[in-house]
Amino acid sequence: MSNELIIDTKLNGSEDIRWDLTDLFDSIDDPKITEMIGLSGDRAVAFELKYKNKINDLTPLDLNHAYTEFIEVFEPIYRVHQFGSLSLSTNTSDDAIKSLSSRIEETLSSISNKILFFNLELAERDDLESLENVAGLEDFKYNLEQTRKTQQYNLTEKEEQLINLKALTGKSAFKKMYSEYTSSFSFDFELDGEIKKMTVSELRSLRQHPNPDVRHRAMDTFFTKYRENKLIFTHIFNDIIKDYNIDRKLRGYPSSINVMNVNNDIDDSAVDALINVTTESYTLVQRYYKLKRKMLGLDELTLADIYAPLPNTRKIYTWNEAQTLVLDAFASFDDEFYTLAKSMFDLNRIDGPAVPNKRGGAFCSSSTPDLKPYVLLNFTGKLGDVSTMAHELGHAIHAMLSTSQHLFNYHPIMPLAETASVFSEMILTDKFLKEMDDKDAKISLLTSKLEDIFATSHRQNMYSRFELKTHKIISERLMSADELCEAYHEELEEMFGDSVAYSDIYNWEWASIPHLLSTPFYVYAYNFANLLVIALYQQYLEEGDAFVPKFKSFLGSGSSASPSQLTKTMDVDINNPDFWRQSMKYIEGMIDQLEELL
């Protein structure tokens, strides 16, 4: 049976599902890449000559034209940047792609430096607040509002330019090194008497292996790699976080998380409420995992067992089966959801298999409103991979519904960026539960969904708390590897309590979480969206079809208003702790339902 598991991870129909990037460029040698880079550069020069030191005197009509030309500067380089990023994600060891990506990053930094005067000068206008309501600037109302609200954190033009340039060999270089280095990891792992070479995704998929010994050895093998490289990861973590906090102190942000809160346009109090309410509900996590220990018949449940499959529920899905399940679920919700998701398959916008030198995990990439997004998966056939497919296609649907927005309003604000994706997972889960007659299958699905919720909300909350703790210390002094491990262990114990047993090797998990480095304090966005979606899905169940157009309009708004304003259109108050507690009651109800089935 375990032999079949590994074979299926390689022969599940995903191996030939590779995306087609020719909608962007034919290859990394395509001469159009140089043309597009040059076009953005030329437009930046022209924009600077036309507008520098003149923003204060622009009429509303002139300002509208300036905004439009500002966007046009970035459109070509965004296209090139996306192509370089996508190419690198499926071949992280290719030196030619690395060289192209480096060239793109340098060009983007140069272009940004050339025209960053625009927002700096705009922020100094005395009439900025009144411009937010002037006819002809409606499309840029939120941009103007954010420019005014964040003005106090701006540095001088020269300082901003220097930060951008130094980032190329500073934090950006460390982030790139981390991504390339961890993507190169391969593991020699003994399975059924045979040594197999595995990718990160393949090894991590063994968390769901039916044999506890395999699960434990797989996770020991995985985290041992990070412990063996502790010098590298400790330096990278300290240096990126130190750089982040030097920057935020220079700008005058009162705390590390406040930087992200300001960027997300969310009050500190709302994020505090989210973190506090989620921490309060750790008892639900502990209640569930004590239940799972009994379901697995184990004397002791370890962190290697928290994703273990239940007996008789080890179904492996082929690519075609997963595609059908996901598309059918979307069709049951809305015809447009189905059509948009299907187009991603039809137009080869998805890269499916788990292969060496491919970035681990999954993501959806969108650059400009005129281009359909792309989705990267590492499909190994697990039920979780089917949910991940629905999740990333939800991101793609979100992007395609937002195409009426201009570039700066196109990408949803971070806390709302996970809304469509998590909602799509719930559509899939709901359809599964409705159509299942088998009691064991329902139990399996409920456990899978609860574990998804805990991973998306409570574990992300744990990461946020770890960030709060380590940022506070590193902003004053560097932390040792032992201190980082101890801080992480404290958060593991806070979340899981006595429901699981802890192995010291898990203290190295912090080093394997790329979001902590790529975008500090990004992770609370997952928790925010997950709990928000639980509330929205309950609305959908109550309102039925009347909910759908309202929800699609909400998604189609992109980032044209603050999260508070956008969620109010869905009758949600994100500043009220009781709102977040309602979602916790829903989770508690799922545990109750599981207990009844047992």
Side-chain angles (χ1 to χ4, degrees), residues 12 22 130 190 206 241 255 258 262 265 276 302 317 321 383 432 436 553 596:
N12 51 42
T22 56
S130 63
E190 186 273 319
L206 293 179
I241 303 310
S255 69
N258 180 255
V262 169
D265 199 10
N276 291 337
T302 73
Y317 295 86
E321 287 172 336
L383 177 60
F432 263 134
M436 281 180 177
S553 176
E596 289 175 12

Side-chain angles (χ1 to χ4, degrees), residues 461-475:
N461 190 67
M462 182 183 77
Y463 299 158
S464 294
R465 285 169 52 95
F466 174 75
E467 285 187 288
L468 285 167
K469 185 180 299 182
T470 54
H471 275 252
K472 184 176 181 179
I473 295 172
I474 292 173
S475 66

Side-chain angles (χ1 to χ4, degrees), residues 290-574:
K290 287 177 180 177
L291 196 62
K292 184 163 187 178
R293 179 181 61 79
K294 295 178 182 178
M295 288 189 283
L296 291 173
L298 296 174
D299 294 330
E300 180 181 75
L301 189 78
T302 73
L303 285 168
D305 302 314
I306 60 176
Y307 299 116
L310 299 180
N312 303 317
T313 59
R314 299 192 295 270
K315 177 166 175 57
I316 297 295
Y317 295 86
T318 67
W319 178 266
N320 287 339
E321 287 172 336
Q323 177 179 338
T324 299
L325 286 166
V326 170
L327 291 180
D328 285 352
F330 286 147
S332 71
F333 175 71
D334 176 63
D335 288 341
E336 189 176 12
F337 261 56
Y338 167 83
T339 301
L340 293 174
K342 187 173 184 298
S343 72
M344 295 291 290
F345 293 97
D346 294 343
L347 297 174
N348 299 322
R349 315 294 280 202
I350 305 174
D351 201 274
V355 292
N357 293 318
K358 179 178 179 179
R359 173 180 159 173
F363 65 77
C364 176
S365 168
S366 54
S367 58
T368 57
D370 60 313
L371 288 169
K372 279 187 179 293
Y374 289 89
V375 161
L376 180 139
L377 303 172
N378 278 276
F379 186 82
T380 61
K382 306 293 191 301
L383 177 60
D385 292 337
V386 184
S387 291
T388 298
M389 181 184 287
H391 180 102
E392 299 304 337
L393 286 172
H395 278 303
I397 291 168
H398 198 164
M400 288 184 277
L401 288 174
S402 302
T403 54
S404 63
Q405 302 293 336
H406 61 72
L407 181 59
F408 295 156
N409 286 353
Y410 171 55
H411 297 282
I413 298 168
M414 204 173 289
L416 303 185
E418 299 293 331
T419 310
S421 54
V422 178
F423 195 92
S424 295
E425 286 189 68
M426 295 195 73
I427 294 170
L428 177 69
T429 301
D430 196 38
K431 184 171 175 60
F432 263 134
L433 285 172
K434 285 179 180 176
E435 296 181 355
M436 281 180 177
D437 295 322
D438 184 89
K439 177 182 174 182
D440 287 338
K442 282 190 174 182
I443 290 172
S444 176
L445 185 59
L446 274 171
T447 60
S448 176
K449 188 56 190 173
L450 280 165
E451 287 167 18
D452 282 346
I453 289 173
F454 295 145
T456 309
S457 282
H458 296 77
R459 278 181 71 80
Q460 305 306 319
N461 190 67
M462 182 183 77
Y463 299 158
S464 294
R465 285 169 52 95
F466 174 75
E467 285 187 288
L468 285 167
K469 185 180 299 182
T470 54
H471 275 252
K472 184 176 181 179
I473 295 172
I474 292 173
S475 66
E476 302 300 330
R477 64 171 178 83
L478 301 184
M479 293 182 72
S480 68
D482 288 344
E483 287 177 313
L484 288 165
C485 287
E486 182 181 354
Y488 194 79
H489 184 82
E490 289 172 356
E491 292 307 319
L492 284 172
E493 286 195 320
E494 181 77 20
M495 176 174 163
F496 290 101
D498 62 355
S499 65
V500 300
Y502 307 92
S503 167
D504 286 346
I505 197 66
Y506 266 84
N507 296 343
W508 288 95
E509 188 173 35
W510 61 267
S512 71
I513 306 167
H515 280 321
L516 302 186
L517 300 175
S518 62
T519 314
F521 296 102
Y522 177 92
V523 292
Y524 79 67
Y526 287 110
N527 186 20
F528 186 106
N530 197 47
L531 300 185
L532 172 64
V533 166
I534 288 173
L536 293 179
Y537 201 78
Q538 290 178 88
Q539 267 192 47
Y540 165 57
L541 295 178
E542 293 171 5
E543 298 177 14
D545 291 342
F547 171 88
V548 177
K550 182 171 63 171
F551 184 57
K552 290 199 294 184
S553 176
F554 165 73
L555 296 178
S557 299
S559 58
S560 58
S562 71
S564 179
Q565 291 170 313
L566 290 175
T567 51
K568 278 179 181 175
T569 66
M570 302 299 295
D571 302 318
V572 165
D573 181 6
I574 62 173

